[in-house]
Amino acid sequence: MRFTLKGLLGGVAAVSIGTATLLGAGAGTAGAAGGVHCDRAERPVWSGDPSRNLTARGCDLPSGEGRWYRVEVDELREAHHTTAYLDGPVDRTEKLHDRTIRCMGFIADGATVHWFGCVPH
C-alpha cells in the first residue's frame, strides 16, 4: 500500500472534523446542564494530579438531570498527599477561591454532596 501526501492529508482532515464534531456536541451538553453553586469543597491531590472526586457542602442542587454539571465553588481546599492513600501524610494544603469545575454527576448525602467524574482544572 502506498501512502500519498494527498491521501494522508485527506485522512487527517477527516479525523479533525470528526473530533471537532464530537467535542462540539460535548460542549453543547455541558452548557445545557447549567451551573451549580457550592460554598466550599475539598479535593485530594495525588502526585500533582487532582482527584476526579470532589466533596462539597452548601450546594444548590440542580432540579433536572444533566450530562455535565458546572460546579462553581467559593472556597476549594486541595490537600496534596505524599502517598496514594487518603489517610496518608499531607505535604501541604492549598486554599483556592472562585473555581469552576466540570463534573459528570453527584450523590447527595444530607448536606454533603459527592461529585464524581470531575475534570481537572
Side-chain angles (χ1 to χ4, degrees):
M1 180 187 299
R2 297 181 75 190
F3 294 106
T4 63
L5 182 60
K6 186 177 180 180
L8 287 174
L9 290 176
V12 169
V15 169
S16 298
I17 291 170
T19 302
T21 302
L22 289 174
L23 289 175
T29 57
V36 175
H37 177 266
C38 295
D39 293 333
R40 61 193 181 284
E42 298 89 31
R43 173 168 62 180
V45 177
W46 316 103
S47 303
D49 292 326
S51 172
R52 302 300 189 255
N53 299 323
L54 183 73
T55 302
R57 288 167 188 78
C59 297
D60 57 347
L61 295 178
S63 58
E65 289 187 29
R67 292 177 64 167
W68 283 94
Y69 299 96
R70 222 174 33 249
V71 183
E72 297 173 0
V73 180
D74 289 340
E75 182 180 301
L76 175 63
R77 291 185 180 265
E78 291 186 332
H80 291 258
H81 292 267
T82 57
T83 64
Y85 302 102
L86 190 57
D87 59 351
V90 174
D91 181 39
R92 70 184 190 285
T93 301
E94 289 184 66
K95 184 161 64 169
L96 308 171
H97 297 283
D98 301 323
R99 297 293 175 168
T100 301
I101 302 165
R102 290 185 349 159
C103 298
M104 287 180 61
F106 66 92
I107 299 170
D109 182 19
T112 304
V113 180
H114 302 282
W115 296 94
F116 57 87
C118 300
V119 179
H121 59 275

